[in-house]
Amino acid sequence: MMRISDTVKHLIIINVIMFVGTIAIGDGVLFNEWFSMYFPKNKSFESWQIITHMFMHGGPSHILFNMFALWMFGTPVEQYLGSKKFLFIYISAGLGAVSLQLLYSYFMFQSNLSILNEAGFDTAQILETLNSGFGMRDTRWDALLQGDRLKDFLEAFNVPMVGASGCIMGILVAFGMMNPNAELMLIFLPIPIKAKYFIPGIIILDLISGITGQSFFSPSNTAYFAHVGGALVGFIIMWYWKKTQFNKNRWD
C-alpha cells in the first residue's frame, strides 16, 4: 500500500474535520452557511468562503471519493514536487475552479436578470425576494423565464459550491503530466487507459456536461466548470514549471 505523504495527510484530516463539523453543528445548516461558497449577491456570502468551500463536502460518498483521489494522485505528486509546490498547485487549482464556476454562475444569473429588468422588475427588489428564503421567487417570473431559465436563475443564486474536486483536478493533471503513460481506469469502466488520454478525456466530458447539462459519470448537481477550472490552472502551473528557463522553477 502506498505510504501517504505529509501534506496530503494533513489535507485529508482538515477535510474530515470539516465534514464532521457539518454533521455535528446545527444539523449542518449553520456550518454550510458559514463555509460553503455562495453566490456573491447572496446574503450568505462571505469572503472566506472562497477558501473554506474547498474543505466542505455534500455527503459521505462525495468526501470518500475525493479523499481517495487525493491520496492516490496527491501522494506521488507531493513526493515528486515537494510539499510547497504541491500545496501551491492544490490551492491555486481550487481558486481557478471557483473562479470559472462563479463566472459561469454569474453569466447564467445576469442573463436571466436582464430579462426580468426588461420586463420592469427592479434589481434591488429581485435580490430582496431571492434573499428572503431558499428558492423564493415572484411567481410572475415564471412566464418570463421559461424552460430551464427559471431553474438556472434560482440555482445560480441559491445553490452553494462545496468540495475539493477542483483542487484534485489540478493535482490529477499534474500527475498526468509527470506520468503520461501511467494506466488509469474508472471504477465502473475497468479498462486501463494511459493518463495522457484518460485525463483530457475526463476534462472534455466535464466541459460537455457543463455546457449541455448532461451528466456522464457524476451527479447532475456537479460543478462541472469548477473541474475544468481546476484542471486548467493545474496545467498552466505545470507547463510553466516545465518550460521556464529558471532552474529553481523546473520540475523535470
Side-chain angles (χ1 to χ4, degrees), residues 204-218 224-225:
I204 290 171
L205 289 178
D206 276 326
L207 183 59
I208 294 172
S209 293
I211 295 172
T212 65
Q214 176 65 46
S215 177
F216 292 96
F217 303 118
S218 52
Y224 298 109
F225 284 103

Side-chain angles (χ1 to χ4, degrees), residues 53-124:
H53 83 279
M54 302 179 196
F55 303 96
M56 298 287 289
H57 288 86
S61 61
H62 191 199
I63 188 171
L64 283 173
F65 182 83
N66 276 348
M67 294 305 98
F68 176 76
L70 177 56
W71 163 72
M72 175 174 283
F73 299 108
T75 292
V77 171
E78 182 182 358
Q79 289 173 342
Y80 198 90
L81 293 179
S83 59
K84 290 182 179 179
K85 285 188 174 181
F86 169 80
L87 190 59
F88 178 77
I89 292 181
Y90 187 88
I91 298 298
S92 298
L95 293 175
V98 71
S99 297
L100 190 59
Q101 186 64 38
L102 277 181
L103 185 63
Y104 172 75
S105 295
Y106 182 82
F107 171 78
M108 297 300 296
F109 180 83
Q110 197 63 37
S111 61
N112 290 302
L113 178 63
S114 297
I115 294 174
L116 296 180
N117 289 154
E118 290 171 3
F121 290 94
D122 179 67
T123 296

Side-chain angles (χ1 to χ4, degrees), residues 32-33 56 78 93 100 106 138 167 177 192 222 226 236 242:
N32 271 301
E33 190 167 332
M56 298 287 289
E78 182 182 358
L100 190 59
Y106 182 82
D138 186 324
C167 306
M177 293 178 72
T222 299
I236 291 172
K242 183 179 182 182

Side-chain angles (χ1 to χ4, degrees), residues 87-244:
L87 190 59
F88 178 77
I89 292 181
Y90 187 88
I91 298 298
S92 298
L95 293 175
V98 71
S99 297
L100 190 59
Q101 186 64 38
L102 277 181
L103 185 63
Y104 172 75
S105 295
Y106 182 82
F107 171 78
M108 297 300 296
F109 180 83
Q110 197 63 37
S111 61
N112 290 302
L113 178 63
S114 297
I115 294 174
L116 296 180
N117 289 154
E118 290 171 3
F121 290 94
D122 179 67
T123 296
Q125 292 177 333
I126 293 171
L127 292 176
E128 183 179 357
T129 299
L130 291 171
N131 274 311
S132 65
F134 186 89
M136 293 296 293
R137 75 185 198 281
D138 186 324
T139 55
R140 292 176 295 174
W141 300 349
D142 297 19
L144 298 168
L145 304 180
Q146 298 179 351
D148 290 332
R149 281 189 169 274
L150 181 62
K151 173 177 172 289
D152 292 339
F153 182 63
L154 296 177
E155 286 186 352
F157 187 87
N158 287 301
V159 179
M161 179 178 168
V162 296
S165 300
C167 306
I168 293 168
M169 285 298 293
I171 297 302
L172 181 61
V173 167
F175 175 88
M177 293 178 72
M178 292 188 304
N179 305 279
N181 292 315
E183 293 189 337
L184 307 174
M185 55 186 172
L186 296 170
I187 294 174
F188 38 79
L189 185 63
I191 302 173
I193 304 172
K194 289 184 177 181
K196 60 185 177 182
Y197 306 124
F198 181 92
I199 295 171
I202 292 295
I203 297 169
I204 290 171
L205 289 178
D206 276 326
L207 183 59
I208 294 172
S209 293
I211 295 172
T212 65
Q214 176 65 46
S215 177
F216 292 96
F217 303 118
S218 52
S220 58
N221 62 345
T222 299
Y224 298 109
F225 284 103
H227 291 184
V228 176
L232 180 61
V233 169
F235 172 79
I236 291 172
I237 292 173
M238 292 299 292
W239 177 85
Y240 172 76
W241 283 345
K242 183 179 182 182
K243 297 297 183 181
T244 182

